């Protein structure tokens, strides 16, 4: 299994590259078309949050496996302002930036595992995993 | 400027003037640039060297030259060579002269040419970059056609990754086309879009609202199963926006809304009637 691959998230162009990378790896490990689209969309949301709310950061793209099932893990991290009220940020429709406020909560529903670590002033780290079924 | 340095400069200017013909020919030969192009440059340089070494005119000419070359697809080295090759051409004359003044003057001129060469290189790069950006923008425009499907019905088939820059261009163009053609129906077809996230959805929603404000109705077509799945899971609501499975369905819908009745789906017969109320 190849190690994680890190990609920067500093511009809108980087967000597009992240989407393309995630789609190709998702197809490689044999995710269904629906699941590919879901993980690509979640990646798009989280990458843009890094760009918009934290001013930039990075993502690690990694193929993972539990015995027979291959999966795809993405770790988004930034050194931005962090999230003070995580429960609130995870609520459908909550936004501090005039968006739809569905990026975080929607991404959680799009993936199989979702882990968010953040504190004010300490940046944000979100790990998501999608397993092939 | 010290007196010997002054003499050195004067000697270089003298060479520039007395050996103009051979200098230009040799310069043209080494650089591969036509003599006519170099003559203006030579003239400006001579004036600057003889006077207060104000190189504004020279830089102006070099700027034009590098921009033109960037447009014509010359390589950066070809472009910089035009400037640097002047050194070699002058040196041959200096060598023939063989005097201390001329040699000292050449050292001075050489530094000056280095600066001008770098300047040319930078202008070339900047021009090249601008050309690339312009081309990317043109491509953006070209790749987002808004087509007229019928009198009063326009459509925009979206293809490929929708980043926010592109979505914005498309949407602005669609709204503008609605105005220009006086259309009351627009079909936004997303068959070719690989993913719809909150940003794309928001642009779509805003466009529909803006179109409504202009008195036009939008139909979104081509929502494929995996996209529908994702949109629902993400939690995006399209509200009362009409969506159709295919572009054909959307056209049929828009036609019926504008009072055109299609008879027999399998045939191409089209009957038009005016709406009664
Ligand atoms: N990486 C991050 N760093 C700091 N704050 C963040 C980060 N990601 C999300 N947030 C906060 O959480 C809120 C909710 O994020 P979410 O992605 O759900 O909505 P949004 O980005 O505002 O709108 P959109 O629906 O367009 O994504 C944001 O408004 C922002 O305040
Ligand atoms: Mg977001």
């Amino acid at each position: 299994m190849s190690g994680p691959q890190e990609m920067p998230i500093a511009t809108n162009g980087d967000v597009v590259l992240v989407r393309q990378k995630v789609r190709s790896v998702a197809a490689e490990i044999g995710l269904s078309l629906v699941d590919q689209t879901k993980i690509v969309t979640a990646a798009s949301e989280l990458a843009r949050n890094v760009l918009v709310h934290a001013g930039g950061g990075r993502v690690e793209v990694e193929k993972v496996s539990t015995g027979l099932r291959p999966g795809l893990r993405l770790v988004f991290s930034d050194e931005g302002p962090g999230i003070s009220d995580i429960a609130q940020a995870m609520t459908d429709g909550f936004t501090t930036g005039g968006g739809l406020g569905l990026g975080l909560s929607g991404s959680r529903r799009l993936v199989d595992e979702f882990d968010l670590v953040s504190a004010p002033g300490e940046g944000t780290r979100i790990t998501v995993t999608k397993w092939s079924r | 400027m010290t007196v010997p340095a002054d003499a050195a400069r004067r000697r270089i200017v003298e060479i520039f003037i007395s050996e103009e013909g051979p200098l230009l020919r040799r310069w043209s030969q080494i650089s591969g640039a036509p003599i006519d192009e170099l003559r203006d440059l030579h003239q400006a340089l001579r004036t600057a060297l003889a006077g207060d070494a104000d190189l504004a005119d020279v830089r102006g000419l070099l700027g034009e030259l590098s921009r033109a070359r960037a447009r014509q697809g010359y390589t950066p080295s070809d472009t910089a060579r035009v400037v640097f090759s002047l050194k070699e051409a002058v040196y041959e004359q200096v060598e023939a002269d063989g005097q201390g003044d001329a040699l000292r003057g050449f050292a001075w001129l050489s530094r000056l040419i280095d600066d001008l060469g770098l300047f040319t290189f930078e202008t070339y790069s900047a021009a090249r970059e601008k050309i690339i950006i312009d081309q990317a923008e043109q491509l953006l425009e070209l790749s987002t056609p808004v087509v007229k499907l019928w009198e009063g019905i326009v459509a925009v088939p979206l293809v490929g990754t929708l980043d926010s820059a592109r979505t914005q261009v498309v949407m602005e163009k669609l709204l503008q086309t609605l105005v220009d053609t006086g259309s009351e129906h627009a079909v936004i077809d997303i068959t070719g879009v690989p993913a719809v996230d909150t940003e794309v959805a928001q642009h779509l929603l805003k466009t529909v609202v803006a179109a409504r404000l202009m008195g036009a109705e939008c139909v979104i077509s081509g929502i494929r199963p995996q996209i529908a799945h994702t949109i629902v899971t993400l939690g995006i609501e399209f509200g009362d926006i009409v969506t159709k499975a295919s572009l054909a369905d959307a056209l049929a819908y828009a036609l019926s809304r504008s009072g055109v009745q299609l008879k027999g789906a399998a045939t191409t017969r089209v009957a038009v009637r005016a709406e009664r109320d």
Side-chain angles (χ1 to χ4, degrees):
Chain A
M1 189 123 305
S2 60
Q5 201 173 336
E6 188 176 300
M7 303 176 76
I9 303 172
T11 65
N12 274 313
D14 290 341
V15 176
V16 176
L17 292 179
V18 168
R19 272 203 294 262
Q20 285 167 354
K21 175 76 189 169
V22 170
R23 180 173 293 280
S24 78
V25 178
E28 220 173 279
I29 64 167
L31 290 190
S32 70
L33 198 50
V34 170
D35 283 346
Q36 283 179 34
T37 309
K38 285 184 175 178
I39 187 72
V40 167
T41 307
S44 181
E45 293 299 337
L46 298 173
R48 217 179 32 260
N49 277 356
V50 166
L51 185 65
V52 172
H53 303 299
R58 70 212 66 80
V59 60
E60 276 173 34
V61 181
E62 188 178 15
K63 290 186 217 167
V64 288
S65 150
T66 55
L68 288 174
R69 290 211 304 174
L72 172 57
R73 177 165 295 155
L74 309 173
V75 184
F76 294 86
S77 55
D78 63 65
E79 284 76 48
I83 302 173
S84 52
D85 188 339
I86 293 177
Q88 189 185 41
M90 292 296 301
T91 310
D92 273 1
F94 175 81
T95 175
T96 55
L100 292 174
L102 290 171
L104 276 184
S105 51
S107 301
R108 177 158 70 172
R109 291 188 291 265
L110 289 170
V111 298
D112 296 319
E113 288 166 28
F114 185 99
D115 179 55
L116 192 165
V117 182
S118 183
E122 282 175 22
T124 301
R125 184 185 172 86
I126 297 177
T127 308
V128 297
T129 314
K130 190 91 189 157
W131 298 107
S132 98
R133 51 191 98 243
Chain B
M1 181 102 356
T2 55
V3 177
D6 237 12
R9 269 177 67 163
R10 251 199 324 275
R11 185 68 202 116
I12 289 292
V13 174
E14 278 163 22
I15 291 176
F16 257 71
I17 296 169
S18 65
E19 305 301 324
E20 173 172 350
L23 202 59
L24 276 175
R25 265 196 304 283
R26 193 65 188 115
W27 188 10
S28 164
Q29 207 173 27
I30 306 169
S31 66
I35 283 196
D36 288 339
E37 201 175 22
L38 300 178
R39 191 166 282 124
D40 288 349
L41 217 48
H42 173 271
Q43 177 74 43
L45 203 53
R46 199 181 74 190
T47 312
L49 297 183
D52 51 2
D54 173 12
L55 292 168
D57 283 351
V58 180
R59 282 173 197 267
L61 287 172
L62 282 177
E64 262 169 48
L65 180 135
S66 26
R67 277 189 292 274
R69 293 193 161 223
R71 270 197 303 278
Q72 291 155 10
Y74 281 82
T75 67
S77 350
D78 280 345
T79 308
R81 187 169 302 125
V82 175
V83 179
F84 288 124
S85 58
L86 174 60
K87 266 196 209 180
E88 198 177 329
V90 174
Y91 186 74
E92 286 170 10
Q93 299 298 331
V94 167
E95 209 178 22
D97 175 289
Q99 300 299 305
D101 275 349
L103 286 166
R104 269 192 299 281
F106 179 73
W108 166 76
L109 179 73
S110 181
R111 270 195 305 278
L112 207 128
I113 291 176
D114 285 348
D115 282 349
L116 291 175
L118 290 179
F119 169 79
T120 308
F121 196 80
E122 273 166 27
T123 321
Y124 174 92
S125 309
R128 207 60 221 143
E129 220 158 275
K130 175 144 189 338
I131 289 168
I132 291 168
I133 290 172
D134 286 352
Q135 282 172 345
E137 271 168 16
Q138 279 167 13
L139 216 58
L140 207 65
E141 290 276 340
L142 286 175
S143 58
T144 56
V146 178
V147 292
K148 185 170 153 189
L149 289 182
W150 202 271
E151 195 57 48
I153 304 173
V154 296
V156 49
L158 299 180
V159 178
T161 299
L162 284 182
D163 55 17
S164 59
R166 225 189 117 209
T167 321
Q168 221 144 328
V169 171
V170 177
M171 296 314 168
E172 276 166 24
K173 211 163 149 192
L174 175 61
L175 295 177
Q176 189 58 47
T177 311
L178 282 175
V179 177
D180 295 346
T181 60
S183 297
E184 290 193 347
H185 293 273
V187 180
I188 304 173
D189 186 76
I190 60 169
T191 308
V193 177
V196 173
D197 61 6
T198 59
E199 188 181 47
V200 173
Q202 213 182 3
H203 281 301
L204 287 174
L205 293 171
K206 280 185 178 159
T207 307
V208 172
V209 172
R212 272 188 190 157
L213 285 175
M214 293 165 35
E217 268 309 309
C218 284
V219 181
I220 298 178
S221 69
I223 303 183
R224 288 172 300 152
Q226 65 270 29
I227 304 271
H229 235 284
T230 308
I231 289 176
V232 172
T233 313
L234 206 48
I236 297 167
E237 283 169 23
F238 275 156
D240 58 349
I241 296 170
V242 178
T243 56
K244 295 286 168 191
S246 70
L247 183 56
D249 290 344
L251 175 59
Y253 173 83
L255 282 171
S256 78
R257 292 281 292 179
S258 51
V260 180
Q261 214 177 37
L262 292 177
K263 279 186 179 170
T267 72
T268 50
R269 256 187 311 136
V270 176
V272 183
R273 70 168 172 85
E275 213 165 15
R276 241 173 254 139
D277 43 6

